[in-house]
Amino acid sequence: MLTGKVPFDADTPVSVALKHMQEVPKEPINLNPAIPLSANKIVMKAMKKDPNLRYQSATEMLKDLTLALKNPDGDFVTINSTDEDFPTQVIPTLDNKKIEDKIKEQDKKKKKNFFQNHKALTIILILISIFLISFGGITFLFNGTKTQDIQVPKLVELTEQEANEQIKGTKLTIKIAEEKYDANIEAGKIISQKPEFKENYKIKENTVIEVVISKGQKISIVPKVVGLKEAEAIKMLEDEDLEVSVEEEFNKKIEKEYVISQDIEATKEVPAGSTVKIVVSKGIEEVDVPNVVRKDKR
């Protein structure tokens, strides 16, 4: 981060790993002269090949970082001694069993010392292990519960029973959202569905498909409107879902604006939307009286 470059670079990951093991990294100050001397030494100490030569705790490193802020060019970074290492020693000859036991004991001691001297690293490794186990469990659970995509079935013009048979085994569910009259779809069959059917349009398992069921053609009973005022007659017919056609004619007996007759008799059952023609009176026809004074009677 201080130099904008990685400490080791190569064409393959294996080559990079070998450099990590065999080569000493370039000092950051050689790549970026603006880096303070103390910061350079802190980084180099943290990158020592031998773990015993690195900082042994976060507190130890924090102490040097604090000093670096106060004295950037100070020479206060010290390298740990290697007295705690186990140099090659001459040991008395033992039988194979004792040698194996000795090696195992030393390995245990080394592991114990390593984790004691690298508590922060130990905590990080534990957290990484917990994360990997959790991530694996979540991935397994996700894959185990992942829902499948299913082509939307075409249910329009099927009965509810036929629709349920069609989706059998797909984990889809049908819900009747509404029932309404429809002149074109037979009673008991599906008028529409949501989501709609489209080629190559898929939905998830366990999706609920809402359908509208037809009640068939609505039947209206024609009311008696003869003798009613035009506006009242029209409203009464429209309330029964009937269309109205109005004709007007003069009538000496029926007052103006009143219904004289209707072409479909009252109480008759007809399909909703049928047209009822009514004849409305225009009252007595008025004519202009001509001036016949001094005219011949013929």
Side-chain angles (χ1 to χ4, degrees):
M1 288 189 292
L2 292 172
T3 63
K5 297 181 179 180
V6 293
F8 301 105
D9 195 12
D11 295 332
T12 65
V14 175
S15 300
V16 174
L18 290 173
K19 287 189 175 185
H20 272 282
M21 297 172 60
Q22 299 171 358
E23 298 182 11
V24 177
K26 292 182 181 179
E27 295 191 20
I29 200 168
N30 293 333
L31 299 174
N32 182 4
I35 296 172
L37 178 62
S38 58
N40 183 75
K41 290 192 173 185
I42 290 171
V43 172
M44 293 306 295
K45 179 176 179 178
M47 295 177 65
K48 287 289 184 182
K49 302 293 183 189
D50 187 347
N52 293 313
L53 300 180
R54 303 175 196 160
Y55 289 102
Q56 300 303 299
S57 68
T59 303
E60 185 183 345
M61 189 176 193
L62 180 61
K63 180 181 177 182
D64 280 358
L65 289 171
T66 304
L67 291 172
L69 290 174
K70 297 178 180 178
N71 185 11
D73 296 321
D75 187 12
F76 47 80
V77 178
T78 58
I79 304 300
N80 297 333
S81 66
T82 58
D83 293 341
E84 296 179 2
D85 285 352
F86 293 92
T88 304
Q89 300 178 10
V90 178
I91 58 175
T93 304
L94 302 172
D95 58 45
N96 289 338
K97 181 69 170 63
K98 290 183 178 180
I99 292 174
E100 290 177 1
D101 292 343
K102 187 69 175 178
I103 292 173
K104 289 180 180 180
E105 184 180 347
Q106 288 181 354
D107 286 342
K108 286 182 180 180
K109 189 173 182 181
K110 285 183 179 180
K111 289 179 182 178
K112 183 178 180 181
N113 290 337
F114 176 82
F115 287 117
Q116 287 179 343
N117 295 330
H118 300 81
K119 292 181 180 179
L121 179 60
T122 303
I123 293 173
I124 291 172
L125 290 174
I126 292 172
L127 291 175
I128 290 173
S129 300
I130 293 172
F131 168 76
L132 291 175
I133 293 171
S134 301
F135 180 76
I138 292 171
T139 303
F140 175 78
L141 182 63
F142 176 77
N143 291 333
T145 59
K146 186 177 180 181
T147 56
Q148 301 296 320
D149 291 335
I150 302 174
Q151 168 66 43
V152 178
K154 184 178 181 181
L155 306 178
V156 174
E157 296 188 4
L158 298 180
T159 64
E160 183 182 358
Q161 183 178 354
E162 291 170 339
N164 281 315
E165 283 294 326
Q166 182 162 323
I167 66 168
K168 191 174 182 180
T170 63
K171 294 186 179 179
L172 298 174
T173 306
I174 292 176
K175 176 185 176 183
I176 299 176
E178 183 184 357
E179 293 185 14
K180 67 179 184 180
Y181 293 103
D182 191 289
N184 300 314
I185 304 295
E186 184 182 341
K189 292 189 175 182
I190 296 173
I191 300 171
S192 63
Q193 65 182 77
K194 186 178 180 182
E196 296 179 358
F197 167 78
K198 294 177 184 176
E199 292 289 347
N200 300 320
Y201 178 54
K202 296 186 177 181
I203 54 177
K204 296 292 183 183
E205 284 182 331
N206 304 316
T207 298
V208 176
I209 301 177
E210 295 186 350
V211 298
V212 177
I213 302 291
S214 174
K215 294 167 68 175
Q217 173 67 62
K218 183 179 180 181
I219 301 300
S220 297
I221 300 176
V222 180
K224 180 182 178 181
V225 295
V226 174
L228 301 178
K229 271 198 166 186
E230 178 183 357
E232 185 180 355
I234 291 174
K235 183 179 184 308
M236 185 176 290
L237 290 168
E238 289 179 345
D239 286 345
E240 295 296 329
D241 293 325
L242 297 169
E243 300 292 330
V244 184
S245 173
V246 180
E247 289 186 5
E248 295 181 334
E249 66 178 38
F250 292 106
N251 192 290
K252 296 180 181 180
K253 297 180 179 180
I254 306 299
E255 188 178 344
K256 184 179 180 180
E257 296 185 357
Y258 281 83
V259 177
I260 301 170
S261 64
Q262 58 188 80
D263 67 338
I264 301 177
E265 62 185 19
T267 70
K268 186 175 181 179
E269 294 184 352
V270 295
S274 299
T275 299
V276 178
K277 183 176 73 174
I278 60 174
V279 179
V280 178
S281 173
K282 294 170 65 176
I284 299 173
E285 182 178 10
E286 296 180 351
V287 297
D288 293 330
V289 178
N291 185 3
V292 294
V293 175
R294 296 181 181 178
K295 298 289 184 180
D296 191 281
K297 67 179 181 178
R298 291 176 294 179

